[in-house]
Amino acid sequence: MEKRVVLELRGRNPSQVKELNLDNCRSTTIDGLTDEYTNLEVLSLNNVGLTTLKGFPKLPNLLKLELSDNRISNGLNFLNGCKKLTYLNLSGNKIKNLETLKPLEEFENLKNLDLFNNEVTNIEDYRSKVFALRPSLECLDGYDKEDREVDSDSLEEMNGNNDSDDDDSDDDVEEEEDDDLSLCEVYNENLEESSASPLYEAEGYLDEEYDQDYEDGDEENDANGEHNSKNQDGDNKNENPEESTRGKKRKHEDEDEN
């Protein structure tokens, strides 16, 4: 465990570390962790093989402690130096009786406790007795006092993780707004450059020529229209004498018959 602790430090001072993950490092005892980790808030020791918590350091700012899948059967009193602890995961250990849990009475801030897959969970009225042991407790093995399953958001809030997530989301929104603003500026600059370019002016010139051609075409069409209308008028005039001649001829034939 000591080598793993040094590796996770990455050259930092222990007082600078806020989160430490030592999962699967394999050790039966606490080794390499000291009281120097004064600002540590999250410590994970899952599946390490711990049989005792003797030598556990005082961590005054520790909020979340993961100790699942070890071989711990007693000695929770060694955690008394972690007064701010709000979340404790002891699932998959060897805790058999309620007496072993008595030290938890001292943890006034404890809200979330997980004892799943320990023999103590088989005791009659186990849940009500554990809630009575620590009145601040809001969640036991994933369920509240009314035996209702606690959702993930509520669990995160109990563990004190919401504030940092909100800050991160705000930063992401600000970065996205900055990106959008920069893209708009680039687009506007490109638009201004294109409007002032010779090519744009040439295109405008071509548009003027097109408009002039269109106007000339309209005049030509108007002239053709007038010519066509005159021709039609002439045709109509030519048709009128013929109709009058036919009328006279028909009248003359009628007189001969009489």
Side-chain angles (χ1 to χ4, degrees):
M1 179 183 288
E2 186 174 5
K3 291 181 179 179
R4 175 68 177 274
V5 171
V6 173
L7 180 65
E8 293 294 334
L9 272 177
R10 301 187 185 98
R12 294 173 294 174
N13 188 295
S15 62
Q16 297 175 313
V17 180
K18 289 189 174 183
E19 185 170 347
L20 195 59
N21 189 325
L22 302 175
D23 293 350
N24 308 308
C25 68
R26 312 313 300 171
S27 178
T28 57
T29 60
I30 300 296
D31 187 18
L33 283 175
T34 67
D35 296 345
E36 296 177 284
Y37 292 84
T38 53
N39 291 307
L40 191 64
E41 297 178 356
V42 180
L43 176 60
S44 188
L45 290 163
N46 294 323
N47 193 34
V48 173
L50 294 173
T51 58
T52 179
L53 293 174
K54 186 177 181 180
F56 199 92
K58 289 183 179 180
L59 303 174
N61 287 302
L62 191 65
L63 301 174
K64 183 176 181 178
L65 178 58
E66 296 274 4
L67 289 168
S68 67
D69 300 319
N70 285 288
R71 292 180 287 167
I72 299 168
S73 58
N74 53 44
L76 298 183
N77 56 295
F78 292 113
L79 300 177
N80 286 343
C82 309
K83 298 296 184 181
K84 289 187 178 181
L85 199 64
T86 60
Y87 171 87
L88 178 59
N89 185 358
L90 288 165
S91 62
N93 278 279
K94 306 295 182 181
I95 298 173
K96 298 180 180 181
N97 53 65
L98 293 171
E99 188 67 26
T100 303
L101 301 176
K102 286 285 288 183
L104 297 182
E105 292 177 330
E106 304 298 324
F107 294 93
E108 297 179 357
N109 297 303
L110 190 62
K111 295 181 179 180
N112 190 352
L113 176 63
D114 196 339
L115 293 168
F116 179 74
N117 203 19
N118 279 273
E119 288 187 36
V120 68
T121 60
N122 297 322
I123 294 176
E124 186 177 358
D125 296 330
Y126 145 78
R127 290 182 56 78
S128 60
K129 290 177 181 178
V130 174
F131 275 114
L133 180 70
R134 182 59 265 162
S136 65
L137 205 60
E138 297 178 10
C139 178
L140 176 61
D141 305 336
Y143 292 82
D144 64 13
K145 294 178 181 180
E146 307 299 327
D147 257 357
R148 295 173 299 194
E149 187 173 3
V150 180
D151 58 46
S152 57
D153 290 338
S154 298
L155 289 175
E156 289 296 322
E157 186 176 352
M158 290 178 196
N159 300 338
N161 294 337
N162 269 6
D163 293 340
S164 60
D165 292 343
D166 292 341
D167 293 340
D168 292 342
S169 63
D170 291 340
D171 293 340
D172 293 339
V173 171
E174 289 179 0
E175 290 178 0
E176 289 177 0
E177 290 178 352
D178 292 340
D179 291 341
D180 292 341
L181 181 60
S182 61
L183 288 174
C184 290
E185 291 175 351
V186 171
Y187 175 77
N188 291 332
E189 289 177 0
N190 292 337
L191 185 60
E192 290 175 0
E193 291 176 359
S194 62
S195 62
S197 66
L199 179 60
Y200 183 85
E201 294 176 358
E203 289 176 352
Y205 177 74
L206 292 175
D207 290 341
E208 291 178 0
E209 287 186 346
Y210 174 80
D211 292 340
Q212 186 63 39
D213 291 343
Y214 180 78
E215 291 178 359
D216 294 342
D218 285 345
E219 291 178 358
E220 185 176 349
N221 290 336
D222 291 341
N224 292 335
E226 291 179 0
H227 179 70
N228 292 335
S229 63
K230 288 179 179 179
N231 290 339
Q232 289 176 357
D233 291 341
D235 292 341
N236 292 335
K237 288 178 180 179
N238 291 335
E239 288 176 357
N240 290 337
E242 185 177 352
E243 288 179 356
S244 61
T245 303
R246 289 177 181 175
K248 289 179 181 180
K249 185 177 179 181
R250 186 172 298 171
K251 181 178 180 182
H252 180 70
E253 291 176 353
D254 292 339
E255 289 177 353
D256 291 343
E257 290 177 358
N258 293 331

